[in-house]
Amino acid sequence: MKLFKVAVIAGDGIGPEVITEGVKVLKKVAELDAGFQFNFTYFPWGCEFYAKHGKMMDEDGIEQLKDFDAIYLGAVGFPGVPDHISLWDLLLKIRKNFDQYVNIRPVTLLKGAHLPLVDVKREDIDMLFIRENTEGEYSGAGDWLFKGQEHEVVLQNGVFSRKGTERIIRYAFETAKKEGRSLTSISKGNALNYSMVFWDQVFEKVSAEYPEVETASYLVDAAAMLMIKDPKRFEVVVTSNLFGDILTDLGAAIAGGIGLAAGANINPERDFPSMFEPIHGSAPDIAGQQIANPLAAIWSASQMLDFFGYEAYGKLVLDAIEQLLVEDEVLTPDMNGTSTTSDVGNRVVDLMKSLVFSQNVKS
């Protein structure tokens, strides 16, 4: 029997509530298959930890995490702790130290989810964003000169290495090839005359190795417009750290809302643990009220199952989410329902149990 060691960082605000439901779902999957189990280890890191200790995680936190198979993260951020502290000293620290250079965010409108666009079919919204996750605009390079003075100057540098750019683009091509889908690159080469011109050149170079993959390339502003007007043209998408961050939030808005937005931070070589998280914030204003939507956290648990090689169980979880949306009975207030966070998690588990027998799911 395989044992997967999962580090759980529930984090701040609604993080503990939604992660509890995701863990519940993962435990149920393990009950359905005697071939593997999960061992969850909880870490109290986040803004509350920062308030007590002046740091977001233990000094040797990265060392503590390195031997886990995966990290399951809730949400980070709370009033009183600057956002750049909570982000850079925990989430980005983990991404960079563990070389989680692939960020995967599905933008798929499930049956039963709200369709906000007009003249668009549900099946038209089915994108897979592959975002560069460790450098680019979020490299952290720059300087703050003459701080507080009249001639104050701030420099924020994007860093695009050939290794970093080529490996994310190649990963996207391999994904598109495997899935038999087109690949779209999104950049801004007309205005960013170094970084994005370089990105476009690398994309063109790598594309020559994949003649079977249909490609397209758009400027980021045009892409944002087309995601609204003609989303079906986007299948697999590859883009930089900043553009991917922004466009996938737009994607969440057209694919049922932020409560359904999941994300995976992958180290493909598996030299380090990968990390799975809902991409919504910590929502401190509703924390502790049991009204937070856990579906994004549960979807990210599905991504973890995919990563471990149990795609059939990952699909089972996703099918259960979709069935819950179609039923339109057990939903949290953000989806016009009256159910609690735990109610939703429990219903997903119940649906999984019924679906696993009807579908004869096997790993």
Side-chain angles (χ1 to χ4, degrees):
M1 182 182 70
K2 293 184 179 179
L3 179 64
F4 295 108
K5 298 185 295 181
V6 179
V8 180
I9 307 173
D12 308 310
I14 62 172
E17 297 167 68
V18 298
I19 285 296
T20 294
E21 304 312 309
V23 169
K24 182 187 297 180
V25 166
L26 289 171
K27 286 181 176 178
K28 174 51 64 176
V29 172
E31 288 178 16
L32 298 171
D33 193 314
F36 65 93
Q37 287 291 325
F38 295 105
N39 183 3
F40 298 100
T41 302
Y42 289 78
F43 294 87
W45 300 332
C47 291
E48 186 175 347
F49 187 86
Y50 180 87
K52 294 178 180 177
H53 304 284
K55 50 193 175 187
M56 290 292 294
M57 64 191 304
D58 289 333
E59 293 291 346
D60 65 343
I62 295 298
E63 185 69 20
Q64 292 183 48
L65 292 172
K66 72 176 186 179
D67 291 328
F68 284 87
D69 298 300
I71 301 165
Y72 195 24
L73 177 70
V76 179
F78 209 80
V81 179
D83 287 342
H84 69 279
I85 296 291
S86 60
L87 182 67
W88 276 93
D89 290 0
L90 184 63
L91 178 61
L92 294 187
K93 187 175 183 179
I94 292 171
R95 285 179 178 173
K96 291 174 182 292
N97 274 277
F98 290 146
D99 203 20
Q100 297 168 349
Y101 63 88
V102 177
N103 183 272
I104 299 175
R105 294 190 179 179
V107 178
T108 302
L109 187 63
L110 301 178
K111 295 177 183 176
H114 173 61
L115 173 57
L117 301 180
V118 296
D119 299 326
V120 169
K121 299 176 182 177
R122 183 173 303 279
E123 57 269 23
D124 290 345
I125 302 175
D126 188 12
M127 317 171 199
L128 184 68
F129 270 78
I130 296 175
R131 162 191 169 195
E132 200 291 314
N133 207 37
T134 57
E135 54 175 48
E137 304 90 348
Y138 292 0
S139 65
D143 207 346
W144 200 318
L145 307 174
F146 315 113
K147 200 168 186 178
Q149 301 180 41
E150 184 180 356
H151 51 293
E152 189 171 22
V153 175
V154 174
L155 306 173
Q156 189 78 49
N157 300 328
V159 175
F160 291 80
S161 68
R162 178 164 292 278
K163 175 183 176 181
T165 304
E166 186 168 320
R167 69 182 180 179
I168 192 64
I169 289 174
R170 190 175 302 280
Y171 184 96
F173 268 105
E174 287 291 337
T175 301
K177 178 182 177 180
K178 178 182 176 182
E179 298 187 2
R181 308 178 80 194
S182 66
L183 176 62
T184 298
S185 170
I186 296 176
S187 71
K188 187 63 176 171
N190 61 339
L192 301 176
N193 56 325
Y194 294 113
S195 61
M196 290 290 101
V197 169
F198 175 72
W199 175 283
D200 291 342
Q201 289 177 354
V202 173
F203 182 78
E204 183 177 359
K205 174 179 178 294
V206 176
S207 69
E209 302 175 30
Y210 296 87
E212 67 274 45
V213 177
E214 180 184 349
T215 62
S217 184
Y218 294 109
L219 300 176
V220 64
D221 43 353
M225 176 189 68
L226 290 169
M227 283 178 66
I228 302 297
K229 293 177 65 67
D230 188 22
K232 66 179 180 295
R233 71 173 62 202
F234 298 101
E235 294 182 347
V236 179
V237 179
V238 65
T239 189
S240 70
N241 215 329
L242 175 62
F243 295 163
D245 195 3
I246 295 170
L247 291 177
T248 51
D249 273 20
L250 172 60
I254 66 175
I258 201 73
L260 282 169
N265 306 277
I266 303 298
N267 173 249
E269 294 76 20
R270 301 175 190 253
D271 296 327
F272 306 102
S274 293
M275 181 165 59
F276 303 85
E277 55 169 332
I279 70 169
H280 57 64
S282 60
D285 55 319
I286 62 169
Q289 300 179 36
Q290 270 288 301
I291 60 172
N293 188 345
L295 293 179
I298 293 172
W299 194 330
S300 65
S302 167
Q303 290 182 296
M304 188 188 302
L305 291 165
D306 292 341
F307 177 74
F308 285 150
Y310 297 97
E311 290 90 348
Y313 288 118
K315 184 178 184 300
L316 173 68
V317 173
L318 209 53
D319 287 346
I321 292 173
E322 190 165 54
Q323 184 60 43
L324 177 137
L325 294 172
V326 170
E327 288 179 345
D328 195 26
E329 295 176 357
V330 184
L331 297 172
T332 45
D334 63 302
M335 290 188 160
N336 298 318
T338 58
S339 300
T340 68
T341 306
S342 295
D343 289 337
V344 173
N346 291 337
R347 184 56 185 155
V348 170
V349 167
D350 288 342
L351 288 166
M352 287 167 55
K353 288 188 290 187
S354 61
L355 286 169
V356 74
F357 294 113
S358 65
Q359 297 179 357
N360 192 26
V361 175
K362 295 181 180 179
S363 60

